[in-house]
Amino acid sequence: MSAVPLSLSGVGFAYPGREVLRDLSFTVADGEFVAVLGPSGGGKSTLLRLVAGLLPRSAGDILVKGEPVRRPRQDVGMVFQKATLLPWRTALDNVLLPAGFRRGASAAELERAQALLKAVGLPDAAGLYPSQLSGGMAQRVGLARMLLHDPDLLLLDEPFAALDAMSRERMALVLQELWLARPRAALFVTHSIPEAVFLADRILVLAGRPARVLLDWKVELPRPRRPETMADPLFNELALALRHEFDKVAA
Amino acid sequence: MKRALALLPPLLTLALILGIWAAFTGPTGLPSYLLPSPSLVGAALWSGLVTEGTDWPHLAFTLTATLVGYVIGSIGAVLVGALVAESRLFERFVYPYIIAIQAMPKVALAPLILVWFGFGLASKVVLVALICFFPLLVNTITGIRGADREMIEMARSFSRSGWFVFVHVKLPAAAPAIMAGLQIGIVLALIGAVVGEFVSSDRGVGYVIGSATVNMNVAVMFAGVLELAAAGMAGSTLVRWLHRRIVFWEGRPSHPSAES
């Protein structure tokens, strides 16, 4: 039995009258951070929803740890573009949502939720409601919620797109730190070239109508990546090359 | 201190109205069978509520009909609303009729309901329940349907069951709309009870007003109207207070600032 965290072969998806994705085939290895880069509205989020089991694919196979995806799984964690915290629940309860909130959580889950809030830099936010959190803080709670059940596959749907530039960079560092604590398979959707280069081991460029994988590039920058990484010649070279590729696609 | 000062303008308005009212009535003004003086109305209230206490059983009857009907109608509305919002099948069979009945003035049913359920408390309860059912039903449906799609998707992505999503995502998301429906309902409920008593009853504040009309006892009519006004205000204030307590997150932006 192959334990490849994620493997897609010939995956396609179409809404009635509109083909969104065609013939996607790739795998994500354990401990591999893969960024899916593409223009807005290009089917990246759809791809993530197919992998999450939130949408049924129209063609092909999606295997998570060797099993076909039919519905959401406990060992897959997801964050969304909007923080999607329940406004009527405290930060701690929001982190515990996958366990059925505080009432449904075991002592171990409660302890882990508190540790995760600390890990994302919010040790004192447990009792706060989402209205008392800034956008960046809310998204940190979202990251903690994704990690509650220590998933083997992370799905991140432009989690920092709604934040301002400063918060984005800080959040990228938080995410890298969480991931380095236990490197696992991650699929990170973004339309930001620097964000993809900064975070990923590998970048897939998804473009066209219907969208396909146009490029599959490795990012050979050492970890942990630091703010100085963005001044690294290799970083800039890659980002520039990706920009050229995008211009080609757009032309 | 500030609160006391805020009360001053409306109290001045009240004093002005009472002054004009008193000036046009009394021995030299309008006859008391058209418009009784404020003091006559005050006397009617005083005897009905304090010295004689004859109004209390009527008030109790009206309020019982209002509250029992309100509770039954509201629970029914939330249950049916949830069914319509969650079940395509139920919606297809039932919703068109709900829309049709909603457009109909329910008080027109009052005589029929009295024939079916008798002239006692039961018919008033049914009328009240029916009247406050529909606004809350519509609010419940739109509230549940209006739940954030991404929020639902998020809960599903964490393998949460449909029941969990309903109880912990959709229902709380609908709570502001449901509470607004409950606020409309409490006012309508009192109207329903009084209309029922007008049509036929031997008790209730509506009955007192109705029989005072026959006797041209306008002061007693005024007293009854004021009692109903007080009950209505108390009811809607209570529901508004509950609204703020239950839906404590309403009106707060979910992310006031963007910095982390």
Side-chain angles (χ1 to χ4, degrees), chain B residues 80-130:
Chain B
V80 176
L83 265 175
V84 172
E86 288 290 270
S87 157
R88 284 270 149 217
L89 195 70
F90 194 76
E91 185 200 354
R92 258 189 243 155
F93 278 95
V94 176
Y95 201 53
Y97 297 103
I98 289 172
I99 296 291
I101 298 173
Q102 206 225 333
M104 187 185 80
K106 258 69 68 185
V107 288
L109 287 174
L112 189 64
I113 289 169
L114 287 160
V115 170
W116 284 349
F117 293 93
F119 302 111
L121 189 65
S123 56
K124 308 334 176 255
V125 167
V126 171
L127 187 60
V128 169
L130 201 63

Side-chain angles (χ1 to χ4, degrees), chain A residues 49 72 82 88 98 130 134-135, chain B residues 148 153 156 160 168 254 257 259:
Chain A
R49 275 161 180 72
K82 284 201 286 173
W88 44 87
S134 68
Chain B
D148 190 340
E153 208 167 43
R156 284 187 50 217
R160 299 284 95 196
H168 294 293
S254 83
S257 60
E259 88 273 2

Side-chain angles (χ1 to χ4, degrees), chain B residues 12-86:
Chain B
L12 283 174
T13 313
L14 180 67
L16 187 70
I17 290 170
L18 287 176
I20 295 170
W21 182 0
F24 278 95
T25 52
T28 54
L30 290 162
S32 67
Y33 61 83
L34 282 183
L35 184 65
S37 67
S39 59
L40 278 175
V41 174
L45 273 174
W46 184 257
S47 94
L49 294 175
V50 185
T51 53
E52 307 273 323
T54 47
D55 286 359
W56 288 114
H58 294 294
L59 258 174
F61 182 81
T62 303
L63 294 183
T64 306
T66 305
L67 286 180
V68 174
Y70 177 63
V71 169
I72 294 174
S74 300
I75 292 175
V78 172
L79 289 178
V80 176
L83 265 175
V84 172
E86 288 290 270

Side-chain angles (χ1 to χ4, degrees), chain A residues 49 54 72-74 78 80 82 84-85 88-89 98 100-101 129-131 133-135 138 145 164 167 170, chain B residues 148 150-151 153-154 156-160 164 168-169 172-173 248-249 252-260:
Chain A
R49 275 161 180 72
L54 292 169
R73 302 170 53 119
Q74 288 266 354
M78 192 160 177
F80 298 80
K82 284 201 286 173
T84 61
L85 302 184
W88 44 87
R89 292 281 178 174
F101 304 121
Y129 284 92
S131 62
L133 305 175
S134 68
R145 179 178 62 193
D164 62 83
S167 313
R170 227 172 308 159
Chain B
D148 190 340
E150 284 188 50
M151 214 71 108
E153 208 167 43
M154 177 278 295
R156 284 187 50 217
S157 83
F158 289 108
S159 311
R160 299 284 95 196
F164 181 97
H168 294 293
V169 181
F248 61 89
W249 63 88
R252 295 193 200 163
S254 83
H255 310 303
S257 60
E259 88 273 2
S260 61

Side-chain angles (χ1 to χ4, degrees), chain A residues 3-142:
Chain A
V4 179
L6 177 62
S7 115
L8 286 79
S9 60
V11 171
F13 181 79
Y15 290 109
R18 191 167 74 91
E19 194 180 2
V20 182
L21 301 169
R22 182 185 289 174
D23 198 23
L24 302 181
S25 301
F26 62 88
T27 60
V28 179
D30 194 26
E32 190 181 31
F33 196 114
V34 176
V36 177
L37 189 61
S40 297
K44 307 187 300 291
S45 292
T46 306
L47 168 64
L48 223 51
R49 275 161 180 72
L50 294 179
V51 173
L54 292 169
L55 270 181
R57 59 195 170 275
S58 317
D61 286 313
I62 302 177
L63 305 180
V64 169
K65 295 206 271 184
E67 295 159 24
V69 170
R70 291 204 183 82
R71 63 185 70 83
R73 302 170 53 119
Q74 288 266 354
D75 51 2
V76 174
M78 192 160 177
V79 276
F80 298 80
Q81 182 170 349
K82 284 201 286 173
T84 61
L85 302 184
L86 302 177
W88 44 87
R89 292 281 178 174
T90 61
L92 182 63
D93 254 344
N94 268 292
V95 174
L96 283 168
L97 179 138
F101 304 121
R102 238 180 138 148
R103 270 181 59 191
S106 66
E109 283 167 326
L110 181 61
E111 206 172 296
R112 176 155 173 86
Q114 277 157 341
L116 280 167
L117 278 174
K118 212 168 286 169
V120 296
L122 299 172
D124 305 318
L128 298 182
Y129 284 92
S131 62
Q132 297 166 292
L133 305 175
S134 68
M137 288 162 86
Q139 206 49 280
R140 285 169 196 244
V141 174

